[in-house]
Amino acid sequence: MPGFLFPGRPGGEHDEPLLDMIIARRAIPPDAPQPMHDLARMLAALAGPAEPGELAGEAAVRAAFCRAASPASISAAARRPGRRRRITRSRRPARSRARLATALVVAVAGLGSVFAAYIDVLPSPIQQLAHVTVAAPPPPSSGLPRTDTTRTRPATRATDRPGQAGRGSHHSTGPAQVPGQVTPTPNYTPYPTRSPGRPTAEPSCGPSPGHSPSPRPKPSGYPSPPPWYQAAQCAGIPTGPAGQRTLNPSGPLSRTPDD
Amino acid sequence: MIGAAFSVTLTSAQRGDETAFACLFRDVQPALLRYLHVITPEAEDVAGETWLQVVKGLPGFRGGEEAFRAWLFTIARHRAVDAARSRSRRSDVPLAVTDEVTGQPMAPDAAELALEAISTRSVVALIKTLPRDHAEIIMLRVVAGLEAADVARIVGKTPGAVRVTAHRALRRLAELAERAGVTH
C-alpha cells in the first residue's frame, strides 16, 4: 500500500516510491535524501556492464553451443527417432508373423481333427463330440446308430462281414436292449427317410431269449420291409440306416423294435 | 537488455547462429554471475552448468526477453541448489559466507570495504552480508531486472512479499553502505 504510514518505521512512509524508482532503475528526484542517491549509484554499478573476467566462460559456452548446433549432433539426434522407427517396423512384422503362424496352426489342427473325425479314427468321447458338433459319424460304442456314411464301407469290419454279424462284438452299434423297451435316441432320427423304396423297419434276426416273440405292430407310416431285406440283415449285409442293430448281451445281434 | 532486437537475436540463436547466441550470453552473463556470487560460492561452475542447460533448451524456448531471463535465472537457481546439496555431502568444503547454521549474516569488515572503491565486486560483497532471501531478491529485482511476479515464482513467495522484502533489503543496504563508507 503506497503512502500508508507504518508506525514504528521512521521514514518508511517516504522512501517507498523512491525505492521503487531505484529498483526500476529510474532517476530519482534531486531533492531525495543523500542515502537514496548513494543507494541508486551502488545499484547502478551493480547492474553495470561486464567487468574483466566476467565473460571468461564465453569460449566454453560457445563451444558447447556449436557442438549442440552442429550438423553432426543434428544428424545424431535425427538418427535416434529413425532407429526407433526401424525397431518399430521390425517388431510389427514379428508380431504379425506370430499371429499368422498361430492361426495356421489352429486351422491345421482344426481341419485335421475334422478330417480324423470323419474317417472315424478318434477316441470314442472325442468322436462323440465330433458327431454332435460337426455331424461326424458316431463312435462305434455309442448308443447312436450310424448314418449312411458309415455304411458306405461294406465288409470292411468284422461285424459287417457275412457270417460274423451274430457274434455280438463291440462293433454292434445298438445299445443294450431290454426286451420290449424302446431304445432312447435323443436328438437323433433313426429313420431319416421314409421313401417307399427303403425299408424303415426291420424284424428281429432270429429268436433271442428275452425278446418279445410277438412282433409289435408297425406304425402306419412305415411300410413293411421287402422279403429280401430280412434275409440280407440276417446275413450281415449292410442295409442302410434302417438296419439298425442293438447289442444284446445275452444273445446274438438283435434288432431294435421299430416304433 | 537487448530490447527490440531480442526476438530476432533469439530466433537466430535458435537456428544455430553462434554470433546471436554470443550476444545473448554477453547480455545476461554479468548479471547471472553476480547473482550467483551472492547465492553460491561456486558461481563460475554453476554459471557454466546453467548455460549448458540453456543451450540444450534453447530450441524449444518461446517467449520474450523477460521470459528468457526469468527462465535462465530459474535454471541458475536450481543448479545452485544442486551445488549446495552436493557441497553439503562433502565435508572438506568450507561453508559459504553466510552462516548457514544460524542464518545470520556475517558482519563485513568495514575497513576492508572502505578501502575499496565503489565497484561491482564491493557492492556484491556488501549485498552478501544481507540475509539470504533479502540479497537474492535484490539481485533478481535490480540486477536481473525481473518483475516482482517472476521473482515471486522463482523464490516461492507472493509478489507482495517480494516487494516488501526488497524494500527492507534496500533500506538495510543503504544503512550498511553509509556505515562502511563504500559510496563516499
Side-chain angles (χ1 to χ4, degrees):
Chain A
M1 287 187 291
F4 184 79
L5 300 179
F6 290 95
R9 198 177 65 181
E13 67 275 17
H14 302 297
D15 63 351
E16 285 187 353
L18 292 175
L19 293 175
D20 286 334
M21 293 173 70
I22 291 172
I23 290 174
R25 301 180 192 177
R26 292 200 304 265
I28 60 175
D31 57 344
Q34 185 60 36
M36 289 296 165
H37 285 284
D38 295 339
L39 185 64
R41 276 200 299 272
M42 276 177 47
L43 296 181
L46 189 64
E51 291 187 347
E54 286 184 336
L55 298 178
E58 181 178 354
V61 173
R62 287 178 73 155
F65 177 80
C66 292
R67 280 195 303 272
S70 65
S73 64
I74 292 173
S75 62
R79 273 197 299 272
R80 267 180 242 125
R83 217 173 285 142
R84 283 191 210 107
R85 278 197 297 272
R86 278 197 295 276
I87 290 171
T88 307
R89 276 193 215 109
S90 65
R91 281 179 183 170
R92 193 175 301 152
R95 292 196 199 104
S96 300
R97 281 196 295 270
R99 288 180 190 148
L100 183 61
T102 304
L104 283 175
V105 167
V106 169
V108 167
L111 290 175
S113 301
V114 170
F115 179 73
Y118 272 98
I119 64 174
D120 198 6
V121 296
L122 294 175
S124 294
I126 302 176
Q127 184 71 28
Q128 175 67 28
L129 177 64
H131 171 71
V132 172
T133 56
V134 297
S141 59
S142 71
L144 301 179
R146 287 193 176 273
T147 59
D148 286 341
T149 55
T150 60
R151 294 295 179 183
T152 56
R153 294 175 293 153
T156 55
R157 292 187 174 187
T159 55
D160 292 337
R161 292 177 191 142
Q164 295 181 356
R167 294 178 183 174
S169 67
H170 67 281
H171 288 288
S172 298
T173 56
Q177 184 71 31
V178 176
Q181 186 175 1
V182 177
T183 303
T185 55
N187 299 328
Y188 183 76
T189 304
Y191 308 112
T193 177
R194 295 185 179 182
S195 62
R198 300 188 67 181
T200 56
E202 58 210 277
S204 171
C205 187
S208 63
H211 194 273
S212 175
S214 60
R216 298 176 62 182
K218 300 285 189 299
S220 60
Y222 297 100
S224 300
W228 57 265
Y229 181 76
Q230 187 171 1
Q233 288 292 316
C234 291
I237 299 173
T239 56
Q244 172 177 287
R245 292 168 292 181
T246 57
L247 180 63
N248 190 350
S250 61
L253 189 66
S254 63
R255 298 295 172 187
T256 302
D258 48 358
D259 51 339
Chain B
M1 302 283 279
I2 296 176
F6 176 81
S7 61
V8 178
T9 306
L10 177 66
T11 303
S12 300
Q14 288 174 333
R15 290 175 181 169
D17 188 354
E18 185 182 351
T19 306
F21 179 75
C23 182
L24 294 174
F25 175 83
R26 290 171 187 165
D27 180 65
V28 184
Q29 171 70 2
L32 175 67
L33 206 54
R34 293 164 193 170
Y35 166 69
L36 289 175
H37 272 301
V38 170
I39 66 171
T40 179
E42 304 166 357
E44 285 79 7
D45 295 339
V46 174
E49 294 174 6
T50 301
W51 280 107
L52 287 180
Q53 192 165 345
V54 167
V55 166
K56 289 179 183 175
L58 189 63
F61 175 78
R62 298 290 180 274
E65 186 170 12
E66 292 210 354
F68 177 75
R69 283 179 166 252
W71 173 55
L72 191 144
F73 277 87
T74 302
I75 294 173
R77 191 172 194 268
H78 291 165
R79 297 288 76 78
V81 171
D82 293 342
R85 284 176 184 159
S86 63
R87 189 173 62 249
S88 66
R89 297 191 202 103
R90 300 193 303 262
S91 58
D92 56 340
V93 175
L95 295 175
V97 175
T98 303
D99 190 350
E100 296 181 358
V101 177
T102 62
Q104 296 297 321
M106 297 172 65
D109 188 351
E112 182 182 349
L113 289 175
L115 290 176
E116 297 183 8
I118 180 171
S119 65
T120 303
R121 187 168 300 180
S122 62
V123 176
V124 168
L126 193 62
I127 290 176
K128 284 170 72 173
T129 64
L130 296 175
R132 164 69 181 263
D133 57 338
H134 289 200
E136 185 174 14
I137 286 176
I138 284 182
M139 297 302 290
L140 289 174
R141 288 284 282 134
V142 177
V143 179
L146 301 180
E147 295 294 330
D150 295 330
V151 176
R153 276 193 291 269
I154 291 175
V155 301
K157 291 186 176 182
T158 64
V162 167
R163 184 170 179 269
V164 170
T165 304
H167 288 174
R168 288 179 184 169
L170 288 179
R171 290 192 197 101
R172 176 66 178 159
L173 186 63
E175 291 175 8
L176 287 175
E178 186 177 8
R179 212 183 308 166
V182 174
T183 59
H184 295 292

